[in-house]
Amino acid sequence: MSRLLVRPGDPLSGEVVISGAKNSVLKLMAATVLAEGRYVLRNVPDISDVTIMGRLLEAMGMSVRRREDAALEIVRGPDVVAEAPYELVEQMRASTAVLGPLLAGVGRARVALPGGDDFGSRPVDMHLASLEALGASFALSHGMIEGHAEKLIGAEVVLEYPSVGATENLLMAGATARGTTTVRNAAREPEISDLAAFLNRMGARVLGAGSPTIVIEGVDELRAVEHTVIPDRVEVVTFLAAVAVAGGEVTLRGARADHVDLLIEKMGRMGLRISPEADGLWAMSSGRPRPIDVATLPYPGIATDYLPMLVAVMCLADGTSYATENVFAGRFRYVGELARMGADIRVEGHHLVIDGVERLSGAPVRAVDIRAGAAMAIAALAADGETTIHDAGPIDRGYESFVEKLSGLGADITRQD
Ligand code: UD1
């Protein structure tokens, strides 16, 4: 598996183009199971999670082709193999997004039960309970979730937590259910709104996406369409954090300020100057970041996916920062890696107390997950000497051209395969 070498360098400068959102495109790909025909998804990031989801669709009998122009062509024929095998689900948990579309489009689904991952245990109980409310039935056998649904029937579902994945499965299952499905306490992430826009384009009637109550009026038929994926807000935050650590002046082309407004306020308090432009965001930073308090929450709160990068900035702040992880309680494995670089972080339950240091110290570390890997690279921009990020593969799961984009801004980062 590849390694990244990072050395501290000059402040960053220039422009970086933000790619399409990983967490959106994976669900749009899953949604193509719903209706026969030829789909074109545009602004699709060239990342390995998209490759894995493509393999899953191919294993299900569909065809997937990446074009030169960052578009993905997907053809869904009349027959679909209703199975997501363990080899693929184990590589990428988001594979469970095919559960709702398979039940709606084929009437049955065999999907491997995902195990735990670097975030800790990640149950799918809410996915199953909400699909059961629409009339699906499930059995667990030999590590596979086996689901059946003669015909899904619209219902009112109250989620006990605004789960992104459960909301998405409900949207896709409800699109062709008989009658109306109402999702209360729905997740409000921009990726949910993108999925709703895609489904509506296919002929669905989804109202209220982006708010806590989503109403889906079931339709008889959906059709294949073309759609452009929203920009990746986590990639935006990654580059903002890089500017906060390395200093400099950068334009993030294609970034949507309205998807990261609370984050812009938080990073502003850390001393980063950010302003929206016609087609992106401009950011500038000089001097040491200021400490902040941050707690992760479902959207519009600060996303759990942002926290590792924000913690990398806090490690260098001029004072004590506090970070609380409310979404995935076990998501602190990267802290030990930052500590290897001289960060002063205390873990107290799901809280971090971070005493900023003036300089970190380059060290061999590991990318324990996608965002943790990005956090290591950011921290390394202000670490004396060389940092080697071992097992850097997870970074490629979620970032297109990570090394090229950062080095394009002047960072001293190279890949060693
Ligand atoms: C998605 C994102 C992930 C992001 C997360 C929260 C994708 C591919 N992944 O993950 O990057 O960090 O949203 O913004 O889009 N839970 C249950 N039972 C369930 C489902 C979830 O207990 O059936 C819990 C989880 O363990 C977690 C919380 O709910 O503690 C939030 O999970 P959820 O919003 O579902 O995240 P994902 O959709 O898995």
Side-chain angles (χ1 to χ4, degrees):
M1 205 178 269
S2 67
R3 284 181 298 173
L4 303 187
L5 298 187
V6 190
R7 294 188 198 90
D10 293 332
L12 303 181
S13 73
E15 179 175 305
V16 61
V17 178
I18 299 302
S19 299
K22 168 180 94 71
N23 286 353
S24 189
V25 70
L26 296 176
K27 321 311 168 58
L28 304 182
M29 291 174 76
T32 64
V33 171
L34 283 167
E36 254 184 86
R38 178 180 162 278
Y39 297 80
V40 179
L41 295 175
R42 300 184 199 285
N43 198 29
V44 174
D46 191 2
I47 54 176
S48 49
D49 270 11
V50 165
T51 310
I52 295 171
M53 185 57 96
R55 274 194 209 129
L56 175 55
L57 296 183
E58 282 169 353
M60 288 164 48
M62 298 163 61
S63 90
V64 180
R65 188 173 73 89
R66 172 171 268 284
R67 299 194 324 209
E68 289 290 305
D69 58 348
L72 209 60
E73 269 181 30
I74 301 173
V75 179
R76 196 280 207 197
D79 298 312
V80 165
V81 180
E83 174 155 342
Y86 177 72
E87 301 75 65
L88 294 169
V89 177
E90 176 261 332
Q91 287 179 57
M92 191 186 64
R93 232 193 91 91
S95 311
T96 49
V98 298
L99 201 51
L102 279 177
L103 288 171
V106 188
R108 58 181 195 284
R110 283 189 88 230
V111 175
L113 184 67
D117 63 9
D118 293 324
F119 295 10
S121 111
R122 289 177 76 174
V124 288
D125 54 322
M126 272 188 266
H127 297 240
L128 302 187
S130 41
L131 294 169
E132 271 169 357
L134 268 58
S137 58
F138 293 100
L140 182 67
S141 155
H142 304 293
M144 302 293 281
I145 303 165
E146 306 211 347
H148 291 271
E150 278 295 301
K151 174 74 190 161
L152 293 170
I153 315 246
E156 170 154 343
V157 182
V158 184
L159 293 176
E160 68 183 74
Y161 182 93
S163 154
V164 172
T167 302
E168 288 164 340
N169 258 323
L170 268 171
L171 250 57
M172 295 186 277
T176 54
R178 191 181 310 140
T180 303
T181 300
T182 305
V183 187
R184 298 202 188 278
N185 198 24
R188 291 187 270 166
E189 273 69 4
E191 294 74 26
I192 302 278
S193 303
D194 201 25
L195 176 62
F198 182 65
L199 293 171
N200 285 340
R201 203 162 268 182
M202 287 174 72
R205 294 210 190 101
V206 181
L207 305 166
S211 81
T213 303
I214 303 180
V215 177
I216 310 149
E217 291 166 17
V219 297
D220 290 336
E221 229 179 315
L222 298 172
R223 60 184 173 276
V225 293
E226 305 199 356
H227 182 84
T228 302
V229 181
I230 56 169
D232 197 312
R233 60 197 168 96
V234 193
E235 192 188 22
V236 170
V237 174
T238 303
F239 284 104
L240 291 177
V243 177
V245 164
E249 186 175 341
V250 167
T251 300
L252 312 182
R253 192 60 64 208
R256 291 259 310 250
D258 57 327
H259 289 173
V260 285
D261 44 9
L262 187 56
L263 187 278
I264 288 179
E265 201 228 289
K266 279 283 174 199
M267 295 205 82
R269 286 190 201 185
M270 296 182 104
L272 195 66
R273 279 195 267 161
I274 307 176
S275 74
E277 292 194 333
D279 176 29
L281 278 178
W282 168 92
M284 193 180 112
S285 165
S286 58
R288 254 180 106 175
R290 287 197 288 273
I292 54 160
D293 294 354
V294 64
T296 64
L297 283 172
Y299 196 83
I302 297 290
T304 168
D305 290 346
Y306 302 164
L307 196 61
M309 287 80 84
L310 294 179
V311 169
V313 184
M314 293 171 185
C315 287
L316 291 150
D318 189 9
T320 304
S321 296
Y322 301 88
T324 300
E325 174 55 71
N326 289 314
V327 180
F328 292 107
R331 197 176 180 177
F332 278 156
R333 282 183 57 203
Y334 60 93
V335 167
E337 302 299 308
L338 287 171
R340 305 201 72 255
M341 297 175 71
D344 184 349
I345 308 181
R346 213 165 59 243
V347 182
E348 292 186 359
H350 64 125
H351 307 284
L352 300 179
V353 181
I354 304 140
D355 283 320
V357 296
E358 211 169 320
R359 275 315 262 187
L360 290 166
S361 137
V365 290
R366 284 183 57 233
V368 295
D369 67 41
I370 305 174
R371 310 304 166 189
M376 296 306 131
I378 290 165
L381 296 174
D384 291 328
E386 188 174 276
T387 296
T388 312
I389 305 174
H390 293 263
D391 301 338
I395 296 177
D396 297 328
R397 285 189 52 192
Y399 291 94
E400 173 174 301
S401 307
F402 185 73
V403 169
E404 294 75 7
K405 286 187 184 185
L406 266 178
S407 56
L409 297 175
D412 186 350
I413 176 168
T414 51
R415 182 186 294 270
Q416 289 204 327
D417 284 311

mmCIF file of all heavy atoms in Angstrom, residues 159-199:
data_model
loop_
_atom_site.group_PDB
_atom_site.id
_atom_site.type_symbol
_atom_site.label_atom_id
_atom_site.label_comp_id
_atom_site.label_asym_id
_atom_site.label_seq_id
_atom_site.Cartn_x
_atom_site.Cartn_y
_atom_site.Cartn_z
ATOM 1 N N LEU A 159 -37.613 8.668 12.856
ATOM 2 C CA LEU A 159 -36.261 8.156 13.140
ATOM 3 C C LEU A 159 -35.869 8.585 14.549
ATOM 4 O O LEU A 159 -36.078 9.740 14.929
ATOM 5 C CB LEU A 159 -35.261 8.709 12.123
ATOM 6 C CG LEU A 159 -35.427 8.225 10.676
ATOM 7 C CD1 LEU A 159 -34.433 8.935 9.760
ATOM 8 C CD2 LEU A 159 -35.230 6.715 10.593
ATOM 9 N N GLU A 160 -35.293 7.658 15.317
ATOM 10 C CA GLU A 160 -34.923 8.063 16.685
ATOM 11 C C GLU A 160 -33.666 8.938 16.658
ATOM 12 O O GLU A 160 -33.353 9.599 17.641
ATOM 13 C CB GLU A 160 -34.791 6.851 17.598
ATOM 14 C CG GLU A 160 -33.630 5.946 17.297
ATOM 15 C CD GLU A 160 -33.604 4.727 18.209
ATOM 16 O OE1 GLU A 160 -34.436 3.844 17.994
ATOM 17 O OE2 GLU A 160 -32.734 4.689 19.086
ATOM 18 N N TYR A 161 -32.966 8.939 15.534
ATOM 19 C CA TYR A 161 -31.775 9.784 15.358
ATOM 20 C C TYR A 161 -31.747 10.117 13.869
ATOM 21 O O TYR A 161 -32.094 9.280 13.041
ATOM 22 C CB TYR A 161 -30.531 8.978 15.763
ATOM 23 C CG TYR A 161 -29.245 9.738 15.678
ATOM 24 C CD1 TYR A 161 -28.725 10.407 16.783
ATOM 25 C CD2 TYR A 161 -28.531 9.806 14.476
ATOM 26 C CE1 TYR A 161 -27.533 11.108 16.691
ATOM 27 C CE2 TYR A 161 -27.343 10.519 14.382
ATOM 28 C CZ TYR A 161 -26.855 11.168 15.499
ATOM 29 O OH TYR A 161 -25.684 11.862 15.424
ATOM 30 N N PRO A 162 -31.357 11.336 13.498
ATOM 31 C CA PRO A 162 -31.372 11.677 12.067
ATOM 32 C C PRO A 162 -30.226 11.015 11.299
ATOM 33 O O PRO A 162 -29.282 11.677 10.868
ATOM 34 C CB PRO A 162 -31.261 13.200 12.062
ATOM 35 C CG PRO A 162 -30.598 13.542 13.361
ATOM 36 C CD PRO A 162 -30.987 12.475 14.354
ATOM 37 N N SER A 163 -30.311 9.696 11.153
ATOM 38 C CA SER A 163 -29.268 8.925 10.456
ATOM 39 C C SER A 163 -29.284 9.252 8.961
ATOM 40 O O SER A 163 -30.331 9.194 8.313
ATOM 41 C CB SER A 163 -29.519 7.433 10.681
ATOM 42 O OG SER A 163 -28.976 6.669 9.612
ATOM 43 N N VAL A 164 -28.107 9.553 8.442
ATOM 44 C CA VAL A 164 -27.969 9.867 7.013
ATOM 45 C C VAL A 164 -28.354 8.631 6.186
ATOM 46 O O VAL A 164 -29.203 8.688 5.297
ATOM 47 C CB VAL A 164 -26.516 10.296 6.697
ATOM 48 C CG1 VAL A 164 -26.287 10.437 5.207
ATOM 49 C CG2 VAL A 164 -26.186 11.603 7.420
ATOM 50 N N GLY A 165 -27.735 7.497 6.492
ATOM 51 C CA GLY A 165 -27.958 6.279 5.708
ATOM 52 C C GLY A 165 -29.398 5.802 5.771
ATOM 53 O O GLY A 165 -29.978 5.399 4.756
ATOM 54 N N ALA A 166 -30.007 5.847 6.964
ATOM 55 C CA ALA A 166 -31.394 5.381 7.099
ATOM 56 C C ALA A 166 -32.334 6.313 6.333
ATOM 57 O O ALA A 166 -33.268 5.867 5.670
ATOM 58 C CB ALA A 166 -31.775 5.290 8.573
ATOM 59 N N THR A 167 -32.085 7.620 6.403
ATOM 60 C CA THR A 167 -32.928 8.580 5.668
ATOM 61 C C THR A 167 -32.823 8.289 4.173
ATOM 62 O O THR A 167 -33.837 8.280 3.454
ATOM 63 C CB THR A 167 -32.484 10.032 5.960
ATOM 64 O OG1 THR A 167 -32.558 10.246 7.379
ATOM 65 C CG2 THR A 167 -33.368 11.055 5.252
ATOM 66 N N GLU A 168 -31.604 8.025 3.696
ATOM 67 C CA GLU A 168 -31.414 7.777 2.258
ATOM 68 C C GLU A 168 -32.115 6.502 1.814
ATOM 69 O O GLU A 168 -32.786 6.475 0.777
ATOM 70 C CB GLU A 168 -29.920 7.722 1.936
ATOM 71 C CG GLU A 168 -29.306 9.110 2.020
ATOM 72 C CD GLU A 168 -27.790 9.122 2.098
ATOM 73 O OE1 GLU A 168 -27.191 8.086 2.455
ATOM 74 O OE2 GLU A 168 -27.198 10.168 1.815
ATOM 75 N N ASN A 169 -31.985 5.432 2.603
ATOM 76 C CA ASN A 169 -32.670 4.188 2.246
ATOM 77 C C ASN A 169 -34.184 4.404 2.199
ATOM 78 O O ASN A 169 -34.872 3.876 1.331
ATOM 79 C CB ASN A 169 -32.296 3.076 3.236
ATOM 80 C CG ASN A 169 -31.255 2.129 2.636
ATOM 81 O OD1 ASN A 169 -31.289 1.830 1.439
ATOM 82 N ND2 ASN A 169 -30.335 1.666 3.459
ATOM 83 N N LEU A 170 -34.699 5.211 3.136
ATOM 84 C CA LEU A 170 -36.142 5.488 3.151
ATOM 85 C C LEU A 170 -36.585 6.275 1.921
ATOM 86 O O LEU A 170 -37.635 6.016 1.342
ATOM 87 C CB LEU A 170 -36.491 6.292 4.403
ATOM 88 C CG LEU A 170 -36.907 5.467 5.612
ATOM 89 C CD1 LEU A 170 -37.001 6.345 6.844
ATOM 90 C CD2 LEU A 170 -38.250 4.772 5.357
ATOM 91 N N LEU A 171 -35.784 7.252 1.538
ATOM 92 C CA LEU A 171 -36.120 8.060 0.354
ATOM 93 C C LEU A 171 -36.222 7.163 -0.881
ATOM 94 O O LEU A 171 -37.162 7.280 -1.674
ATOM 95 C CB LEU A 171 -35.014 9.097 0.113
ATOM 96 C CG LEU A 171 -35.346 10.561 0.372
ATOM 97 C CD1 LEU A 171 -35.818 10.764 1.782
ATOM 98 C CD2 LEU A 171 -34.121 11.428 0.104
ATOM 99 N N MET A 172 -35.241 6.268 -1.027
ATOM 100 C CA MET A 172 -35.198 5.433 -2.219
ATOM 101 C C MET A 172 -36.306 4.377 -2.174
ATOM 102 O O MET A 172 -36.925 4.082 -3.192
ATOM 103 C CB MET A 172 -33.812 4.794 -2.367
ATOM 104 C CG MET A 172 -32.735 5.872 -2.609
ATOM 105 S SD MET A 172 -31.107 5.201 -2.972
ATOM 106 C CE MET A 172 -30.474 4.867 -1.334
ATOM 107 N N ALA A 173 -36.574 3.844 -0.969
ATOM 108 C CA ALA A 173 -37.631 2.830 -0.859
ATOM 109 C C ALA A 173 -39.004 3.473 -1.022
ATOM 110 O O ALA A 173 -39.911 2.894 -1.617
ATOM 111 C CB ALA A 173 -37.531 2.127 0.494
ATOM 112 N N GLY A 174 -39.160 4.674 -0.492
ATOM 113 C CA GLY A 174 -40.473 5.337 -0.522
ATOM 114 C C GLY A 174 -40.844 5.868 -1.899
ATOM 115 O O GLY A 174 -42.021 6.098 -2.187
ATOM 116 N N ALA A 175 -39.858 6.041 -2.768
ATOM 117 C CA ALA A 175 -40.109 6.697 -4.059
ATOM 118 C C ALA A 175 -41.177 5.987 -4.879
ATOM 119 O O ALA A 175 -42.007 6.629 -5.523
ATOM 120 C CB ALA A 175 -38.801 6.785 -4.853
ATOM 121 N N THR A 176 -41.181 4.628 -4.819
ATOM 122 C CA THR A 176 -42.196 3.897 -5.603
ATOM 123 C C THR A 176 -43.136 3.094 -4.692
ATOM 124 O O THR A 176 -43.841 2.203 -5.156
ATOM 125 C CB THR A 176 -41.525 2.924 -6.608
ATOM 126 O OG1 THR A 176 -40.620 2.090 -5.891
ATOM 127 C CG2 THR A 176 -40.775 3.679 -7.699
ATOM 128 N N ALA A 177 -43.122 3.404 -3.386
ATOM 129 C CA ALA A 177 -44.047 2.708 -2.476
ATOM 130 C C ALA A 177 -45.475 3.161 -2.784
ATOM 131 O O ALA A 177 -45.681 4.238 -3.345
ATOM 132 C CB ALA A 177 -43.679 3.015 -1.025
ATOM 133 N N ARG A 178 -46.447 2.334 -2.411
ATOM 134 C CA ARG A 178 -47.837 2.738 -2.616
ATOM 135 C C ARG A 178 -48.224 3.745 -1.528
ATOM 136 O O ARG A 178 -48.029 3.490 -0.341
ATOM 137 C CB ARG A 178 -48.757 1.508 -2.537
ATOM 138 C CG ARG A 178 -50.168 1.824 -2.993
ATOM 139 C CD ARG A 178 -51.074 0.603 -2.892
ATOM 140 N NE ARG A 178 -50.504 -0.578 -3.509
ATOM 141 C CZ ARG A 178 -50.592 -1.811 -2.985
ATOM 142 N NH1 ARG A 178 -51.200 -2.002 -1.843
ATOM 143 N NH2 ARG A 178 -50.069 -2.843 -3.617
ATOM 144 N N GLY A 179 -48.697 4.917 -1.926
ATOM 145 C CA GLY A 179 -49.121 5.925 -0.950
ATOM 146 C C GLY A 179 -47.975 6.816 -0.503
ATOM 147 O O GLY A 179 -46.926 6.890 -1.152
ATOM 148 N N THR A 180 -48.189 7.481 0.628
ATOM 149 C CA THR A 180 -47.263 8.521 1.085
ATOM 150 C C THR A 180 -46.392 8.031 2.231
ATOM 151 O O THR A 180 -46.874 7.414 3.172
ATOM 152 C CB THR A 180 -48.076 9.758 1.548
ATOM 153 O OG1 THR A 180 -48.878 10.175 0.449
ATOM 154 C CG2 THR A 180 -47.165 10.900 1.988
ATOM 155 N N THR A 181 -45.096 8.316 2.133
ATOM 156 C CA THR A 181 -44.160 8.033 3.228
ATOM 157 C C THR A 181 -43.734 9.363 3.837
ATOM 158 O O THR A 181 -43.341 10.278 3.115
ATOM 159 C CB THR A 181 -42.906 7.288 2.693
ATOM 160 O OG1 THR A 181 -43.333 6.064 2.099
ATOM 161 C CG2 THR A 181 -41.903 7.010 3.796
ATOM 162 N N THR A 182 -43.851 9.464 5.147
ATOM 163 C CA THR A 182 -43.400 10.684 5.825
ATOM 164 C C THR A 182 -42.240 10.309 6.745
ATOM 165 O O THR A 182 -42.375 9.403 7.568
ATOM 166 C CB THR A 182 -44.544 11.296 6.661
ATOM 167 O OG1 THR A 182 -45.660 11.494 5.795
ATOM 168 C CG2 THR A 182 -44.138 12.634 7.270
ATOM 169 N N VAL A 183 -41.104 10.983 6.562
ATOM 170 C CA VAL A 183 -39.942 10.718 7.423
ATOM 171 C C VAL A 183 -39.805 11.883 8.388
ATOM 172 O O VAL A 183 -39.592 13.025 7.968
ATOM 173 C CB VAL A 183 -38.644 10.581 6.596
ATOM 174 C CG1 VAL A 183 -37.481 10.129 7.474
ATOM 175 C CG2 VAL A 183 -38.832 9.626 5.429
ATOM 176 N N ARG A 184 -39.955 11.608 9.660
ATOM 177 C CA ARG A 184 -39.754 12.662 10.665
ATOM 178 C C ARG A 184 -38.391 12.493 11.329
ATOM 179 O O ARG A 184 -37.894 11.386 11.440
ATOM 180 C CB ARG A 184 -40.861 12.605 11.718
ATOM 181 C CG ARG A 184 -42.227 12.850 11.120
ATOM 182 C CD ARG A 184 -43.242 13.317 12.143
ATOM 183 N NE ARG A 184 -44.549 13.348 11.528
ATOM 184 C CZ ARG A 184 -44.999 14.353 10.766
ATOM 185 N NH1 ARG A 184 -44.247 15.417 10.576
ATOM 186 N NH2 ARG A 184 -46.194 14.300 10.220
ATOM 187 N N ASN A 185 -37.840 13.605 11.771
ATOM 188 C CA ASN A 185 -36.468 13.627 12.309
ATOM 189 C C ASN A 185 -35.482 13.122 11.246
ATOM 190 O O ASN A 185 -34.542 12.382 11.540
ATOM 191 C CB ASN A 185 -36.356 12.806 13.598
ATOM 192 C CG ASN A 185 -35.108 13.163 14.389
ATOM 193 O OD1 ASN A 185 -34.565 14.272 14.253
ATOM 194 N ND2 ASN A 185 -34.622 12.243 15.191
ATOM 195 N N ALA A 186 -35.752 13.496 9.997
ATOM 196 C CA ALA A 186 -34.886 13.087 8.884
ATOM 197 C C ALA A 186 -33.543 13.802 8.962
ATOM 198 O O ALA A 186 -33.450 14.916 9.482
ATOM 199 C CB ALA A 186 -35.563 13.443 7.563
ATOM 200 N N ALA A 187 -32.503 13.145 8.432
ATOM 201 C CA ALA A 187 -31.206 13.815 8.297
ATOM 202 C C ALA A 187 -31.358 14.953 7.283
ATOM 203 O O ALA A 187 -32.163 14.867 6.361
ATOM 204 C CB ALA A 187 -30.149 12.818 7.841
ATOM 205 N N ARG A 188 -30.573 16.032 7.481
ATOM 206 C CA ARG A 188 -30.735 17.238 6.641
ATOM 207 C C ARG A 188 -29.500 17.560 5.818
ATOM 208 O O ARG A 188 -29.376 18.653 5.273
ATOM 209 C CB ARG A 188 -31.053 18.425 7.556
ATOM 210 C CG ARG A 188 -32.423 18.332 8.188
ATOM 211 C CD ARG A 188 -32.742 19.607 8.931
ATOM 212 N NE ARG A 188 -32.301 19.558 10.315
ATOM 213 C CZ ARG A 188 -32.212 20.626 11.092
ATOM 214 N NH1 ARG A 188 -32.471 21.827 10.614
ATOM 215 N NH2 ARG A 188 -31.837 20.503 12.341
ATOM 216 N N GLU A 189 -28.550 16.637 5.751
ATOM 217 C CA GLU A 189 -27.287 16.880 5.047
ATOM 218 C C GLU A 189 -27.529 17.285 3.598
ATOM 219 O O GLU A 189 -28.498 16.817 2.977
ATOM 220 C CB GLU A 189 -26.439 15.591 5.075
ATOM 221 C CG GLU A 189 -25.558 15.409 6.310
ATOM 222 C CD GLU A 189 -26.315 15.147 7.600
ATOM 223 O OE1 GLU A 189 -27.549 15.025 7.568
ATOM 224 O OE2 GLU A 189 -25.668 15.083 8.667
ATOM 225 N N PRO A 190 -26.649 18.101 3.010
ATOM 226 C CA PRO A 190 -26.790 18.477 1.595
ATOM 227 C C PRO A 190 -26.844 17.254 0.666
ATOM 228 O O PRO A 190 -27.475 17.307 -0.392
ATOM 229 C CB PRO A 190 -25.520 19.298 1.316
ATOM 230 C CG PRO A 190 -25.115 19.829 2.652
ATOM 231 C CD PRO A 190 -25.518 18.793 3.655
ATOM 232 N N GLU A 191 -26.212 16.144 1.081
ATOM 233 C CA GLU A 191 -26.223 14.941 0.243
ATOM 234 C C GLU A 191 -27.627 14.335 0.185
ATOM 235 O O GLU A 191 -27.982 13.677 -0.789
ATOM 236 C CB GLU A 191 -25.209 13.911 0.782
ATOM 237 C CG GLU A 191 -23.748 14.353 0.677
ATOM 238 C CD GLU A 191 -23.341 15.413 1.694
ATOM 239 O OE1 GLU A 191 -23.972 15.485 2.772
ATOM 240 O OE2 GLU A 191 -22.397 16.194 1.421
ATOM 241 N N ILE A 192 -28.424 14.550 1.240
ATOM 242 C CA ILE A 192 -29.826 14.085 1.233
ATOM 243 C C ILE A 192 -30.596 14.901 0.192
ATOM 244 O O ILE A 192 -31.391 14.364 -0.577
ATOM 245 C CB ILE A 192 -30.471 14.292 2.634
ATOM 246 C CG1 ILE A 192 -29.687 13.558 3.720
ATOM 247 C CG2 ILE A 192 -31.957 13.917 2.611
ATOM 248 C CD1 ILE A 192 -29.980 12.110 3.870
ATOM 249 N N SER A 193 -30.347 16.198 0.178
ATOM 250 C CA SER A 193 -31.049 17.056 -0.793
ATOM 251 C C SER A 193 -30.644 16.690 -2.218
ATOM 252 O O SER A 193 -31.459 16.742 -3.133
ATOM 253 C CB SER A 193 -30.729 18.534 -0.532
ATOM 254 O OG SER A 193 -31.083 18.846 0.792
ATOM 255 N N ASP A 194 -29.363 16.315 -2.407
ATOM 256 C CA ASP A 194 -28.905 15.938 -3.740
ATOM 257 C C ASP A 194 -29.606 14.650 -4.190
ATOM 258 O O ASP A 194 -30.046 14.531 -5.339
ATOM 259 C CB ASP A 194 -27.377 15.750 -3.745
ATOM 260 C CG ASP A 194 -26.768 15.854 -5.146
ATOM 261 O OD1 ASP A 194 -27.382 16.522 -6.016
ATOM 262 O OD2 ASP A 194 -25.706 15.275 -5.390
ATOM 263 N N LEU A 195 -29.727 13.701 -3.253
ATOM 264 C CA LEU A 195 -30.413 12.447 -3.592
ATOM 265 C C LEU A 195 -31.882 12.729 -3.932
ATOM 266 O O LEU A 195 -32.419 12.181 -4.901
ATOM 267 C CB LEU A 195 -30.310 11.454 -2.417
ATOM 268 C CG LEU A 195 -31.063 10.136 -2.597
ATOM 269 C CD1 LEU A 195 -30.536 9.340 -3.796
ATOM 270 C CD2 LEU A 195 -30.978 9.280 -1.325
ATOM 271 N N ALA A 196 -32.520 13.602 -3.152
ATOM 272 C CA ALA A 196 -33.930 13.940 -3.421
ATOM 273 C C ALA A 196 -34.059 14.592 -4.797
ATOM 274 O O ALA A 196 -34.986 14.289 -5.559
ATOM 275 C CB ALA A 196 -34.462 14.863 -2.327
ATOM 276 N N ALA A 197 -33.108 15.465 -5.137
ATOM 277 C CA ALA A 197 -33.157 16.132 -6.449
ATOM 278 C C ALA A 197 -33.017 15.101 -7.570
ATOM 279 O O ALA A 197 -33.722 15.163 -8.583
ATOM 280 C CB ALA A 197 -32.038 17.167 -6.540
ATOM 281 N N PHE A 198 -32.116 14.145 -7.369
ATOM 282 C CA PHE A 198 -31.908 13.068 -8.356
ATOM 283 C C PHE A 198 -33.186 12.244 -8.519
ATOM 284 O O PHE A 198 -33.646 11.985 -9.639
ATOM 285 C CB PHE A 198 -30.747 12.187 -7.880
ATOM 286 C CG PHE A 198 -30.368 11.065 -8.809
ATOM 287 C CD1 PHE A 198 -29.861 11.318 -10.069
ATOM 288 C CD2 PHE A 198 -30.506 9.733 -8.410
ATOM 289 C CE1 PHE A 198 -29.488 10.273 -10.923
ATOM 290 C CE2 PHE A 198 -30.137 8.687 -9.253
ATOM 291 C CZ PHE A 198 -29.630 8.963 -10.511
ATOM 292 N N LEU A 199 -33.779 11.856 -7.383
ATOM 293 C CA LEU A 199 -35.004 11.042 -7.433
ATOM 294 C C LEU A 199 -36.132 11.829 -8.101
ATOM 295 O O LEU A 199 -36.886 11.287 -8.915
ATOM 296 C CB LEU A 199 -35.411 10.599 -6.025
ATOM 297 C CG LEU A 199 -34.455 9.609 -5.339
ATOM 298 C CD1 LEU A 199 -34.839 9.418 -3.874
ATOM 299 C CD2 LEU A 199 -34.458 8.259 -6.054
#
